[in-house]
Amino acid sequence: MEHGKGELPPYSAVANTEWPRRHRAIRRSRGLRVLALACLAFIVYAQWRQIHPTSKSRSPLLSIQKLQEDLEVCAKLGSKPKDPIGAGRHRNARYIDGHKPTLIKNATIWVGEPVKGTSAEDARVGIGYSWTHGDVLLEYGLIKRVERDIDISTLSSDTLVWDAKGRRLTSGIIDMHSHAGVNSVPELVGNDDTNELSADITPYVRSIDGLDPNDHQIQVIKSGGVTTSLVLPGSGNNIGGEAFVIKHAVGQPDGRNETSAADMLADPDRNWRYIKMACGENAKRVYGRVGERGPFSRLGESWEFRHAFEQAANYVREQDDWCAAADAVGIENIDSYLPQDLKWETLGAVLRGQVHVNTHCYTIPDLEAFVDHTNEFKFAVRAFHHAHQTYLVPEILKRAWGDSPPASALFADNMWYKAEAYVGSEYAGKILYDNGLTPIYVSDNPVLNAQHVVFEAAKAFGYGLPYHVALASVTTAPAERLGFGERLGKVKPGFDADIVVWDSDPLSVGATPVQVWIDGTAQYENPVELQKPIEASVGTPKDVLITRDDPQSTPDLVITGISKSFITEWIPNAREGRRNFTAIISNGKITCIGTCTGELEAAKNSGAETINLENGYLTKPFTAFGSLLGLNAVDAEPVTDNGGSPDVFSRGVDGLALDTKKLHFALKYGVTRAVSSPKYSGGATHQGTSVGFRTGATHALEKGAVFAEDAAVHYTLDLSAKSGSTSISNAVGSLRRKLLEAVESNTTANDRFSEGAFLQKVVAGSLPLAVTAHSADVIAAVLRAKRTVETAIAARGGGDGGIKLVIIGGAESFIVADDLAAAGVGVVLSPLLSYRTSWTQRRALTGAPLTNGTAVDRLLEAGVLVAIGLEEDWVVRDLGLLAGIAYKNGGGKIDESQALDLVGANVFKLLGLGKSELGNVANEFVVFEGSPLEVGSRVRAVGAGLGEVKVFDFV
């Protein structure tokens, strides 16, 4: 068979019987030889190419200019940033020509480091640190001189002179965890740019791209002495994106060239970069969908981290290979551009040591897993944020990769709000420092108001952190961790001129800036200055002893060294002098306050325990009002919560759950009573009747556990009211209608525990009505509704007693203070210091130096009965300090006793509760070492109203 032209040879020799056998053999032999020679040639060529790669030619399609640019990038990839220097600079990069020098005279200065020659061992325990008298010269945006008695004649003739009048001067406060500008307040859907939730791993997004200089909170924060903040993306993602360090100076009024995020950057040269990562609950909650997407567990989160780091490591390796080849053969012989991918560029820079990593991690498993990641992929962590359980595992932190273990960026005492925040300690900072680690205190603004981040450091001092370490925790420590250790955090020549002068010790209750300078520019032209006495002497307070969490119980007790007693009712000899009292407790009750000679001898003979105080305070107990204490254990865990719904009206007493961690700590900090209502929808909302109970009780049937089964009827008329009523106007109208129906009702309700039955008591004046509202407009609407209902009551001959109305929240209540006073309506401020977090709080007063007073000041001036409530349960530790702020910053409006009433007696006045509900004051009291209105006081004994005294010993 012939093969025509163009036909393929057969696939099988079997089908080609006519093909000559010999011809096939010859061709096979020749073909094998050719194939062998070809293979040999290829091997030789390949070897030659490896040895002599210079013969490779660049693709004619590649740009030599772009290749040159890529080569320049290689040089940057291989470099590691250094902390920007301070000393030796003539001027600050942010200095604007024409700005005058400033001489701050007669200041009491905290330099931020020990005197020269102090050993490291001595410095660690505070030796060498002190407040010193002197002057500070600010020029060209820098601190130029820090000396005693600087001669003004030696300075430029245009130097501004500012007299500090002996007040305390520190460097600007640094908040190392903030969302100011990206989570603007009041919070609106349109201005929330905290989290990019399109994916769990987003190292490529940047907080600066959403940072709004017009966020008013930036100015509020500065009014608390905060000059610098690390603005982080949120914690919804395991890797959230790049962060930026800003200063709180915005636009020309604050000494800037323009109003922009770029002009707010603390380091215009951007030496260091920063990134936010997050372990734990948040990413699981946001992304975990069974069978759809992850991470669903911490196991999945670790895979997300490791996979991302693996991609970044591959990216770094590809770049390094390209750079090595380009360096070896020259870019003219390279046939591709440098691999560059925005998705992995930031994380690649992390692995190159060019980015400071800040990681949100609470729990031991999270901390341990992330430390493992640092060692696997060889990158350092500058700080673990929130870091609630770091105090339990200092050895794990010390295993982290790098030259220095991570710092812990903490709250002082904010915890219990979710499972991973349930385990924590107010003593964490002290424990970490004792173990050679670095505590830093932060706000997580707007979680906490960063205006008061120095208050977190103050509380840490009160919880036993040494004074110099507490001040460092918001100045030098964050400066060092941010890479600004040579520019920020100290009052030294060459450092940026970020200065705060305070009206009192910055670690004291109510400390407020008198003036703030950023890069040498005074930030306030006419600041409001609180009227406080100049300190007679200035020193460094001694370290504070801490008390044990678990108290001992005793029926009999002797207490000596009481400087002040605020218990006078029904107590024999209570007014014998004013200092050095003795108090005798027998069978859980106070039997004597005074010299108590006979009682003292009898108590000693009976073997009663004695507590000797240096500066004792004996007070009535505190009361927590408006929180979920007793109805909740872990805020974000429904199984630990009583629950609530806009459609349900219930009694708090029916859901009471005692003997929880929250209540144990309430007792430890002098809160023996609480009044709590079921929630309407979420925290700080209320609906139903509140229950008054004692925090030390183990169950609701215990004698004395419940002192008011139904203390008040609660409704919520803040923004959350829309969830149940679709509109605030409908919610107000619904409440008015229910009250009018109660007025018109001629019969007793069949169910005496129904909503209608309780409202009948409200309109009869026997049970208070408590309305949660912040907006002055809503409060005004409620006052109108009150008048309408009272008119209806009068028309039916119900008398003129009226409704007992209490407002809870009250951020804007000061606007209608006179109307509230005229109507006899009291206010429970919750929180005491609003910072406009919601639209209904947008007109809140944030205090000096921006506003003349806060809501409590205006309400007291108008004669409104005021108490301080808890918006969140963790605040139970701080009630005495909040009362202290009202006292210290009130300009003499109230005395110490009246301040204590804000967190005690005034609550019961507002609710109409008296001795019949509360019992004898003799068996319910708190003994403090130090004033409960000041940082550093400690509860030593608590009479909980249950027949025994709890004694808290020092550790």
Side-chain angles (χ1 to χ4, degrees), residues 39-318:
C39 289
L40 181 60
F42 177 78
I43 292 171
V44 171
Y45 174 74
Q47 294 283 345
W48 181 83
R49 285 280 293 166
Q50 290 186 11
I51 298 171
H52 303 285
T54 55
S55 63
K56 181 177 179 180
S57 299
R58 174 179 59 84
S59 168
L61 298 178
L62 297 183
S63 164
I64 191 68
Q65 180 179 348
K66 175 66 170 66
L67 289 167
Q68 183 61 46
E69 292 171 356
D70 285 352
L71 189 61
E72 293 171 1
V73 171
C74 286
K76 296 177 182 178
L77 294 177
S79 65
K80 186 173 180 179
K82 294 182 179 179
D83 291 359
I85 63 167
R89 290 185 296 165
H90 173 65
R91 58 186 283 158
N92 190 318
R94 292 297 189 199
Y95 173 73
I96 298 175
D97 289 335
H99 279 215
K100 298 177 181 180
T102 299
L103 176 64
I104 304 172
K105 290 190 66 66
N106 190 25
T108 303
I109 303 166
W110 186 264
V111 173
E113 67 181 20
V115 295
K116 189 175 181 180
T118 304
S119 69
E121 293 78 9
D122 284 347
R124 183 156 186 82
V125 297
I127 296 173
Y129 288 89
S130 66
W131 291 96
T132 59
H133 191 79
D135 302 340
V136 180
L137 176 64
L138 314 179
E139 189 175 24
Y140 298 117
L142 302 174
I143 299 171
K144 287 289 189 177
R145 295 168 64 182
V146 182
E147 304 168 13
R148 292 185 68 90
D149 302 321
I150 295 176
D151 186 353
I152 193 171
S153 67
T154 65
L155 306 179
S156 171
S157 60
D158 62 350
T159 299
L160 305 173
V161 179
W162 197 91
D163 186 3
K165 301 177 181 178
R167 288 172 294 207
R168 308 208 192 203
L169 180 152
T170 69
S171 67
I173 301 302
I174 301 171
D175 184 6
M176 199 172 159
H177 188 133
S178 180
H179 303 293
V182 293
N183 192 359
S184 301
V185 297
E187 294 180 329
L188 302 171
V189 173
N191 66 10
D192 183 0
D193 292 297
T194 317
N195 291 283
E196 174 49 56
L197 298 179
S198 58
D200 179 44
I201 304 297
T202 57
Y204 42 81
V205 302
R206 310 182 305 177
S207 66
I208 196 172
D209 295 325
L211 200 154
D212 183 4
N214 287 322
D215 179 9
H216 180 66
Q217 183 66 1
I218 291 172
Q219 299 296 336
V220 172
I221 292 169
K222 177 172 60 183
S223 74
V226 179
T227 56
T228 305
S229 294
L230 175 62
V231 178
L232 296 152
S235 54
N237 298 350
N238 285 134
I239 300 180
E242 284 201 61
F244 290 80
V245 181
I246 66 164
K247 291 195 180 183
H248 289 257
V250 181
Q252 293 184 357
D254 292 351
R256 289 295 194 253
N257 278 312
E258 61 186 36
T259 300
S260 68
D263 212 32
M264 296 168 66
L265 291 177
D267 179 17
D269 298 326
R270 305 192 187 193
N271 286 276
W272 282 107
R273 296 164 67 185
Y274 310 86
I275 193 170
K276 169 72 174 295
M277 301 184 188
C279 318
E281 288 186 40
N282 289 4
K284 293 198 304 173
R285 292 178 185 271
V286 171
Y287 293 101
R289 300 291 183 274
V290 176
E292 296 179 18
R293 65 180 186 182
F296 189 80
S297 68
R298 284 179 166 84
L299 287 67
E301 288 189 4
S302 276
W303 183 88
E304 294 283 357
F305 278 123
R306 296 179 70 220
H307 181 64
F309 292 135
E310 180 185 51
Q311 302 305 306
N314 290 338
Y315 174 68
V316 167
R317 191 176 303 111
E318 291 172 2

Side-chain angles (χ1 to χ4, degrees), residues 622-632 652-653 655-660 662-664 666-667 671-677 690-702 704-711 873 876 908 911 913 917-918 924 944-946:
F622 299 157
T623 300
F625 183 77
S627 72
L628 288 173
L629 290 172
L631 299 172
N632 172 287
V653 69
L656 200 58
L658 304 181
D659 198 20
T660 64
K662 290 181 179 180
L663 295 176
H664 296 165
L667 191 68
V671 181
T672 70
R673 304 165 180 164
V675 179
S676 299
S677 160
S690 53
V691 56
F693 65 96
R694 287 187 167 86
T695 61
T698 55
H699 56 81
L701 295 179
E702 185 176 342
V706 175
F707 61 79
E709 288 195 354
D710 300 289
D873 294 354
V876 72
F908 303 110
L911 298 178
L913 299 174
E917 291 88 4
L918 300 178
E924 206 157 1
L946 298 169

Side-chain angles (χ1 to χ4, degrees), residues 345-360:
E345 187 278 329
T346 302
L347 210 54
V350 168
L351 300 184
R352 294 183 184 281
Q354 299 170 337
V355 182
H356 284 330
V357 176
N358 291 269
T359 304
H360 157 127

